[in-house]
Amino acid sequence: MNKLKVAIQKSGRLYDDSLKLLKECGINIQFRKNQLKAFALNFPLEIFFIRDDDIPQYLEDSIADLGIVGYNIFSEKRKRIQVKERLGFGKCRLSLAIPRQLNYRGIKDLNGKRITTSYPILVQEFLTKHRLNAEIQEISGSVELTPSIGLSYGICDLVSSGSTLFMNGLKEVETLLQSEAILASSMLLEEDPIGKKLMKELLFRIRAVINAKNNKYILLNAPINKLDKIMLYLPKNLTLSPFLLNYQFCVIHTVISEKDFWRVAENLKIFGVFNILVMPIEKIIY
Ligand code: PRT
Ligand code: ZN
């Protein structure tokens, strides 16, 4: 092998973010619209643009070495492939929904009912796990329509904002799976020394980009006499810089997780921290 073959979605919800991720990894891809194959100019990598549903099969057959696909598709297709990294975009959940006006007392209400879905394997797994007996009708699109035309009692489909369910008079009653885009690899890639090395290089870059996205660089002024309390809210690997205003204050630089930011900021304010600057980070290499 002299090039990594990477499969990404041809068009759809994962297309833009998949290309953006490769670009953020410093990989420069040139292609024209509707082209189904493209090459990177500065990394030994070739891209195949295909339907997301076909990506697991391409990986199992080693037609592609790596693929970017929803965890939902990976879980439904049951192919012999490996998850290498969660990529943080394309987030959604696979949920069961029923007409809003129906009274739902719990999963037992699904017994004996018909459910329409494009995810028959995951739905069957859920039913078996809860010892439920319901009929699954596989359908490839417009699943949300089916209860209102009498085809099903409920549906199982992907939800992100919830507005499609709402517009179709449905309510979410059970969540089967949380999903996001993943990087998956073919089993054979591990056995090819060059392929393995190239995958390692690509993963190194992808992880640096993901780490940066999940974190923020913060710079703040803190009163010295409250430092012991302030430190409790900040990570250990921070930098303390020159004292300000007659040794009463210092500047702290550190990196904190995006999800913790508001909770930490509120607590820091209580201890007299001021001028908190928050900046995005491009890459973090630990
Ligand atoms: O042509 P191809 O087969 O490649 O594309 P596709 O039409 O099968 O997939 P596409 O582009 O719709 O989605 C690709 C992937 O994006 C999915 O496999 C998921 O991993 C991810 N994703 C994230 C979603 C959603 N969010 C999502 N909301 N995929 C589909 N939806 C649909 C959902 O099916 C429902 O119809 O959006 C509607 C619900 O959205 P909300 O925001 O109204 O809740
Ligand atoms: Zn699809």
Side-chain angles (χ1 to χ4, degrees):
M1 169 189 300
N2 54 5
K3 268 194 180 87
L4 274 181
K5 289 171 280 173
V6 182
I8 68 169
Q9 199 189 15
K10 177 161 62 97
S11 62
R13 291 170 195 261
L14 303 183
Y15 172 83
D16 285 337
D17 284 330
S18 302
L19 285 177
K20 185 163 158 251
L21 176 66
L22 292 172
K23 194 169 172 210
E24 286 166 337
C25 288
I27 296 173
N28 192 353
I29 301 149
Q30 262 194 351
F31 62 99
R32 285 190 300 273
K33 211 169 182 274
N34 298 328
Q35 207 173 315
L36 298 179
K37 211 160 115 175
F39 294 92
L41 301 177
N42 54 355
F43 195 92
L45 182 150
E46 184 177 4
I47 295 194
F48 302 156
F49 296 98
I50 60 179
R51 282 197 61 195
D52 63 349
D53 313 71
D54 296 333
I55 292 177
Q57 186 69 57
Y58 270 55
L59 293 173
E60 188 178 76
D61 296 343
S62 291
I63 306 293
D65 303 309
L66 293 169
I68 297 181
V69 67
Y71 186 67
N72 49 306
I73 299 282
F74 164 81
S75 308
E76 176 68 21
K77 298 290 180 184
R78 306 289 152 117
K79 301 294 176 195
R80 284 196 70 245
I81 59 179
Q82 275 189 313
V83 178
K84 285 291 164 192
E85 194 61 60
R86 292 185 166 258
L87 301 175
F89 59 84
K91 288 193 175 170
C92 57
R93 54 197 184 273
L94 181 68
S95 291
L96 267 159
I98 62 167
R100 206 178 304 137
Q101 73 278 8
L102 292 183
N103 184 18
Y104 184 77
R105 289 157 303 177
I107 47 175
K108 294 267 180 295
D109 285 1
L110 301 168
N111 253 330
K113 305 283 185 355
R114 184 192 281 166
I115 299 162
T116 39
T117 186
S118 315
Y119 294 85
I121 307 245
L122 289 170
V123 176
Q124 187 55 60
E125 198 173 71
F126 174 84
L127 294 175
T128 307
K129 182 175 149 203
H130 293 282
R131 296 166 196 270
L132 298 169
N133 213 340
E135 183 192 342
I136 299 171
Q137 172 135 13
E138 187 175 351
I139 190 165
S140 58
S142 304
V143 179
E144 289 93 348
L145 175 70
T146 56
S148 71
I149 56 172
L151 184 57
S152 66
Y153 164 79
I155 67 159
C156 186
D157 198 13
L158 300 175
V159 182
S160 41
S161 68
S163 70
T164 307
L165 290 184
F166 184 79
M167 305 250 284
N168 286 284
L170 299 169
K171 63 178 174 188
E172 214 173 332
V173 291
E174 304 288 342
T175 299
L176 280 64
L177 182 89
Q178 295 288 345
S179 182
E180 66 186 274
I182 55 161
L183 181 77
S185 71
S186 91
M187 299 304 238
L188 285 186
L189 185 59
E190 300 283 343
E191 289 167 27
D192 182 308
I194 300 176
K196 202 170 162 186
K197 182 174 161 283
L198 291 175
M199 174 176 69
K200 248 179 108 180
E201 265 178 62
L202 183 63
L203 269 175
F204 175 77
R205 295 190 191 190
I206 288 177
R207 286 178 182 144
V209 171
I210 294 175
N211 287 338
K213 282 212 176 104
N214 294 338
N215 290 285
K216 291 271 180 266
Y217 176 68
I218 62 167
L219 191 68
L220 49 92
N221 293 341
I224 303 277
N225 61 357
K226 294 277 168 41
L227 266 186
D228 53 339
K229 304 254 174 16
I230 289 166
M231 297 299 215
L232 296 176
Y233 292 94
L234 294 173
K236 303 275 171 287
N237 55 341
L238 47 74
T239 313
L240 278 175
S241 309
F243 298 112
L244 301 170
L245 304 177
N246 296 331
Y247 298 98
Q248 290 180 66
F249 297 95
C250 67
V251 180
I252 298 178
H253 313 232
T254 192
V255 169
I256 68 167
S257 157
E258 168 98 67
K259 66 178 173 20
D260 295 335
F261 175 74
W262 288 109
R263 183 183 54 81
V264 171
E266 276 165 27
N267 284 296
L268 295 180
K269 288 292 286 177
I270 295 170
F271 296 113
V273 166
F274 62 102
N275 287 358
I276 306 176
L277 299 184
V278 185
M279 283 158 277
I281 305 170
E282 202 175 296
K283 292 179 185 68
I284 299 183
I285 296 161
Y286 288 114

